[in-house]
Amino acid sequence: MIKIKVRKKLFGYNGEFWLDIDFEIEKNEFLAVFGKSGSGKTTLLRIIAGLEVADEGYIEFDGKVYFDSKKKINLPPQKRNVGFVFQNYALFPNMTVYQNLLYALNDKKKADEILKKVELYQLKDRYPYTLSGGQQQRVALARVLMRNPDILLLDEPLSALDQSIRSKLQEELKNIHKNFGLTSLIVSHDMVEVFKLADRVILINQGKIEKVGKPRDIFIEKPVSGKFSFYGEVIDIKESDIFNIAVIEVNGSLIEIIVDKEIKVGDKVLVGVKGFNPVIKKV
Ligand code: ADP
């Protein structure tokens, strides 16, 4: 388990405020920190990675202390077993995919194994500039996996990619998290992304935790009664024997509606109300 309790004074657009955060991450959990731009998400990740120092608090990984302001312990980034993936892939441009991985850890057997697992083996002798954005980001992930990080920190990792690639990579990221038995912490302001990836969400605002819960508890709004009809896209389906429950994104909000079995993830739908019941039509 990872325990994080930190405070740091930040200088935001509207003056100073305290980043004041206290939470834990279970092993193998995929946790998301969600919040508006400027709320302190990136700073939190940088503090965990050791790239910035908190004013007070502690960070502890399975009993190992990374940071403790009282005991004056502050391990440098290279002594923290943390994998960091940013929005811009940060690969070494003068090295091939393979060399990029070996730079992280000089173990060819492991590099082969990881490249095969993430289906990049065919690209191993290519240079980053010959790869698409999505491929480069997968290489960045593969490189981070070379060192078996205690935690994978993802800072808006997919936001530079266009929507269709982004959607595919979200699936892939989820699989990598599972197949490599990772513990992951993503910061994002993309609700759909967080909904798809995270087991649990911490909602922060101006440096403080506002809500913690499962994505559906944090994001899903109950449709209000009255006249309404709008277009949306199905982003998740929970199956049961008799009916399915779909999560639909409409104008940046998520709603949950019972649907019949024909509705699939990715369908564009029209949601309306008949009587007091929501109805849904494929468009
Ligand atoms: P987010 O990732 O949620 O957009 P950031 O963590 O990047 O938010 O930044 C939150 C605010 O804190 C910003 O206004 C930024 O200028 C400020 N900030 C970032 N780092 C520091 C620092 N080391 N000292 C003081 N203020 C900082």
Side-chain angles (χ1 to χ4, degrees):
M1 184 195 279
I2 299 168
K3 293 182 184 172
I4 295 159
K5 181 171 165 55
V6 289
R7 274 166 60 78
K8 184 177 176 74
K9 193 189 266 182
L10 298 180
F11 300 98
Y13 317 114
N14 306 319
E16 55 181 56
F17 67 98
W18 281 88
L19 177 70
D20 188 350
I21 300 270
D22 181 357
F23 65 101
E24 293 175 352
I25 312 175
E26 299 290 341
K27 201 168 168 50
N28 299 135
E29 189 174 26
F30 206 137
L31 184 68
V33 174
F34 178 83
K36 278 187 250 162
S37 182
S39 53
K41 304 184 296 296
T42 295
T43 307
L44 175 64
L45 283 202
R46 290 173 56 80
I47 288 173
I48 297 171
L51 300 168
E52 273 190 58
V53 191
D55 297 338
E56 293 164 23
Y58 58 82
I59 301 170
E60 201 184 293
F61 276 59
D62 288 329
K64 186 172 178 197
V65 178
Y66 277 18
F67 172 73
D68 189 327
S69 56
K70 282 196 186 127
K71 294 183 189 152
K72 305 246 180 298
I73 297 171
N74 184 26
L75 296 191
Q78 62 275 20
K79 291 256 170 75
R80 303 184 182 200
N81 194 15
V82 160
F84 209 141
V85 177
F86 309 89
Q87 178 182 335
N88 57 345
Y89 328 114
L91 296 173
F92 300 116
N94 56 332
M95 293 184 191
T96 62
V97 167
Y98 204 48
Q99 288 164 343
N100 262 280
L101 264 70
L102 294 178
Y103 187 84
L105 184 76
N106 194 5
D107 180 340
K108 289 189 172 150
K109 197 165 154 254
K110 186 158 188 181
D112 287 343
E113 205 180 287
I114 289 176
L115 287 171
K116 282 179 191 158
K117 260 197 190 166
V118 301
E119 293 176 16
L120 284 170
Y121 192 73
Q122 283 84 340
L123 304 179
K124 78 185 194 20
D125 297 321
R126 300 263 291 264
Y127 284 89
Y129 67 88
T130 70
L131 303 176
S132 70
Q135 287 167 334
Q136 289 187 50
Q137 197 56 315
R138 283 163 61 214
V139 174
L141 258 172
R143 185 176 63 180
V144 154
L145 297 177
M146 287 296 287
R147 300 180 71 96
N148 295 335
D150 290 333
I151 188 167
L152 177 62
L153 300 176
L154 302 151
D155 189 358
E156 306 270 0
L158 308 178
S159 49
L161 304 168
D162 68 46
Q163 195 48 47
S164 62
I165 296 167
R166 200 166 167 163
S167 201
K168 246 176 86 194
L169 272 182
Q170 285 160 354
E171 285 301 311
E172 227 169 290
L173 188 54
K174 187 144 191 162
N175 290 336
I176 287 173
H177 168 85
K178 216 162 130 199
N179 297 339
F180 285 84
L182 300 174
T183 304
S184 306
L185 175 60
I186 188 169
V187 309
S188 174
H189 62 269
D190 179 339
M191 183 169 54
V192 174
E193 183 159 292
V194 168
F195 188 89
K196 285 186 185 169
L197 289 172
D199 302 315
R200 203 158 57 99
V201 182
I202 295 181
L203 180 67
I204 70 167
N205 187 15
Q206 283 280 95
K208 313 277 184 304
I209 295 180
E210 278 198 339
K211 265 194 204 168
V212 181
K214 292 205 166 72
R216 56 184 60 240
D217 299 333
I218 302 276
F219 296 131
I220 290 184
E221 296 170 14
K222 301 274 173 284
V224 288
S225 59
K227 260 192 183 175
F228 75 137
S229 114
F230 37 70
Y231 289 97
E233 183 178 342
V234 178
I235 63 156
D236 188 39
I237 299 262
K238 249 214 290 195
E239 304 205 2
S240 80
D241 291 348
I242 313 156
F243 51 74
N244 290 346
I245 297 170
V247 175
I248 299 166
E249 188 205 0
V250 180
N251 290 335
S253 297
L254 299 184
I255 56 168
E256 212 173 28
I257 293 183
I258 292 173
V259 295
D260 65 36
K261 300 258 174 192
E262 279 142 46
I263 303 287
K264 302 272 179 265
V265 171
D267 281 352
K268 304 271 188 292
V269 291
L270 178 68
V271 182
V273 172
K274 209 174 186 179
F276 286 106
N277 297 316
V279 288
I280 184 165
K281 252 197 328 209
K282 217 168 137 171
V283 292

